[in-house]
Amino acid sequence: MDFLNLVILNNSIQTWLLALLAVVATAITLRLVKRLGVRYLQQWSTRTKTSIDDVMMMALEKSNPWIMNLLAIYAGVLVLQLDLMITEWSTAFAFVLCLMQVGIWADVAVNYWLVEKPQEGGSGGRMTTLNAVAFVARLAIFSVLFLVGLDNLPGVDVTALLTGLGIGGVAVALAVQNILGDLFASLSIALDKPFVIGDFIELDNYRGTVEYVGLKTTRIRSASGEQIVVSNSDLLSSRVRNYQRMDERRVVFNFGITYDATVEQLRAIPAMVTDIIESIDNTRLDRIHFSALGDFSLNFELVYYVLSPEYELHMDIQQEINLALLEAFTEEGLEFAYPTQVLYVANAEEDGDGPTESKAANLLTGNDYNNN
């Protein structure tokens, strides 16, 4: 018994053994609580349709074993008689460990509610928004926990720190204003949703599908295969065409007929084109008009709608219309016009004023022979 009363660092051997027992008991208790809690929540989640028990189970599974071990050591420290400064710092350290574990649990909840669960059938627009909201939520949670942890450290003045951070933040903001502009542009894209992941957009001379909306850049996969990286601030200042938002596609189609066509044939063309458009699925005729007397053709303008935004369907329909027009016009003896020029040369007889060839040459060059 004299051995148990031996004093080491102001504590007897018996006290040290009690502290060790407290460490082991606390570590075992924490692990037992974690295991039983996860098992109970698993059984509970099978009987309910809510997601709260699922989040609690995933958060409990993420309980960090190193944090639990350090908290068990703190339980042993409480048994010992130590210097006041050591006790204060160990208490503050244990509190910081608890805050770290709370942050891990909060991160699990944010990730589940704002990232994992919305992916189960969520739209691209919703995912874009929720990713940005999840980032802001994590930033807010860990910032608050960090400040609370600092406030509980002995000798740390959070007020002075916040003042210093405010002044330094202004300087940093001026230095990285372009990055901050892209960051706020990312939040604007997430909230306003001019486009979402998966949309096919046109930006200046670039076209492609939106693959990723990050904090600084947006990445677009072009039709030719390469990835286009655009800063968010530049993207918002540009005019963006979002083809994914089309309910239907308006197509303006022009064609010309040769001047050999008769008036009766020209009058029949609108009815012929109307029959062709109405015979094709997923189309709606808007109008067909004899629009102009061109330099070498009689011009018609056709406007129709493809009742789908899909570009491939639009091209299939245009191909079908082209073939149908060729077939119908061939049967009616109509010819499509192409750029031509007819030159008429007068075959004048010699009248003593000069040879015929000279008159023809002057006609071709536009000179007035009689003025020579």
Side-chain angles (χ1 to χ4, degrees), residues 1-8 10-15 17:
M1 302 298 290
D2 293 335
F3 173 74
L4 295 177
N5 293 325
L6 181 64
V7 176
I8 300 176
N10 297 326
N11 292 276
S12 64
I13 297 296
Q14 182 178 0
T15 305
L17 291 176

Side-chain angles (χ1 to χ4, degrees), residues 111-123 126-127 130-131:
N111 187 67
Y112 178 79
W113 287 107
L114 299 180
V115 179
E116 292 183 1
K117 189 176 181 181
Q119 286 181 352
E120 302 173 0
S123 64
R126 190 183 180 191
M127 285 306 305
L130 293 180
N131 283 333

Side-chain angles (χ1 to χ4, degrees), residues 331-345:
E331 293 178 356
E332 296 295 327
L334 294 168
E335 294 183 1
F336 286 102
Y338 53 87
T340 56
Q341 184 175 6
V342 179
L343 181 63
Y344 294 96
V345 179

Side-chain angles (χ1 to χ4, degrees), residues 278-292:
E278 291 179 349
S279 66
I280 300 175
D281 295 333
N282 296 313
T283 59
R284 184 180 76 252
L285 178 66
D286 183 29
R287 59 182 176 82
I288 170 69
H289 290 101
F290 179 16
S291 59

Side-chain angles (χ1 to χ4, degrees), residues 20 39 51 67 69 83 88 116 172 223 249 255 265 286 310 324 329 341 349 353:
L20 180 60
R39 183 179 301 175
S51 300
I67 293 178
N69 292 336
D83 186 76
E88 289 180 353
E116 292 183 1
V172 172
R249 185 183 294 268
F255 61 90
Q265 288 177 318
D286 183 29
E310 296 182 10
F329 287 2
Q341 184 175 6
E349 296 180 356
D353 294 333

Side-chain angles (χ1 to χ4, degrees), residues 35-305:
R35 181 174 299 180
L36 294 178
V38 170
R39 183 179 301 175
Y40 173 75
L41 289 172
Q42 284 178 341
Q43 296 175 355
W44 185 21
S45 63
T46 59
R47 298 193 301 266
T48 61
K49 296 182 179 180
T50 60
S51 300
I52 298 177
D53 48 3
D54 298 326
V55 176
M56 294 173 62
M57 180 186 67
M58 289 186 295
L60 194 57
E61 286 179 338
K62 289 290 184 178
S63 297
N64 192 288
W66 286 100
I67 293 178
M68 291 191 292
N69 292 336
L70 292 173
L71 290 176
I73 293 174
Y74 173 69
V77 170
L78 294 177
V79 178
L80 299 173
Q81 297 293 327
L82 299 175
D83 186 76
L84 181 61
M85 181 178 294
I86 296 177
T87 303
E88 289 180 353
W89 275 100
S90 59
T91 302
F93 183 67
F95 184 76
V96 170
L97 289 175
C98 292
L99 291 178
M100 290 174 60
Q101 186 58 64
V102 170
I104 294 173
W105 289 340
D107 183 71
V108 171
V110 169
N111 187 67
Y112 178 79
W113 287 107
L114 299 180
V115 179
E116 292 183 1
K117 189 176 181 181
Q119 286 181 352
E120 302 173 0
S123 64
R126 190 183 180 191
M127 285 306 305
T128 304
T129 303
L130 293 180
N131 283 333
V133 173
F135 169 78
V136 174
R138 288 191 180 97
L139 183 63
I141 290 171
F142 286 106
S143 297
V144 171
L145 293 177
F146 177 74
L147 293 175
V148 172
L150 285 179
D151 189 47
N152 283 272
L153 292 178
V156 177
D157 187 3
V158 178
T159 304
L161 177 63
L162 290 176
T163 303
L165 289 176
I167 297 174
V170 173
V172 172
L174 293 175
V176 296
Q177 54 183 335
N178 291 334
I179 297 176
L180 292 177
D182 290 330
L183 174 61
F184 286 110
S186 172
L187 295 177
S188 177
I189 292 172
L191 297 175
D192 191 48
K193 295 190 287 292
F195 55 84
V196 298
I197 295 174
D199 282 359
F200 186 87
I201 65 172
E202 179 179 349
L203 175 66
D204 296 332
N205 296 325
Y206 302 102
R207 289 186 178 186
T209 303
V210 179
E211 285 190 336
Y212 175 77
V213 180
L215 297 178
K216 189 179 188 306
T217 62
T218 294
R219 298 164 196 175
I220 303 170
R221 182 68 62 181
S222 71
S224 56
E226 73 272 13
Q227 188 180 71
I228 304 170
V229 181
V230 186
S231 67
N232 292 326
S233 57
D234 290 343
L235 195 148
L236 281 186
S237 62
S238 304
R239 291 177 176 83
V240 178
R241 292 187 178 185
N242 192 337
Y243 291 97
Q244 208 71 19
R245 303 287 174 86
M246 289 193 307
D247 295 326
E248 54 187 18
R249 185 183 294 268
R250 184 176 184 267
V251 182
V252 179
F253 176 44
N254 295 284
F255 61 90
I257 303 299
T258 61
Y259 272 90
D260 297 336
T262 64
V263 175
E264 290 74 14
Q265 288 177 318
L266 295 176
R267 292 185 184 276
I269 287 177
M272 294 166 55
V273 175
T274 300
D275 292 339
I276 291 173
I277 298 298
E278 291 179 349
S279 66
I280 300 175
D281 295 333
N282 296 313
T283 59
R284 184 180 76 252
L285 178 66
D286 183 29
R287 59 182 176 82
I288 170 69
H289 290 101
F290 179 16
S291 59
L293 299 170
D295 294 336
F296 55 85
S297 63
L298 304 171
N299 298 330
F300 284 81
E301 184 175 76
L302 164 64
V303 180
Y304 68 94
Y305 287 89

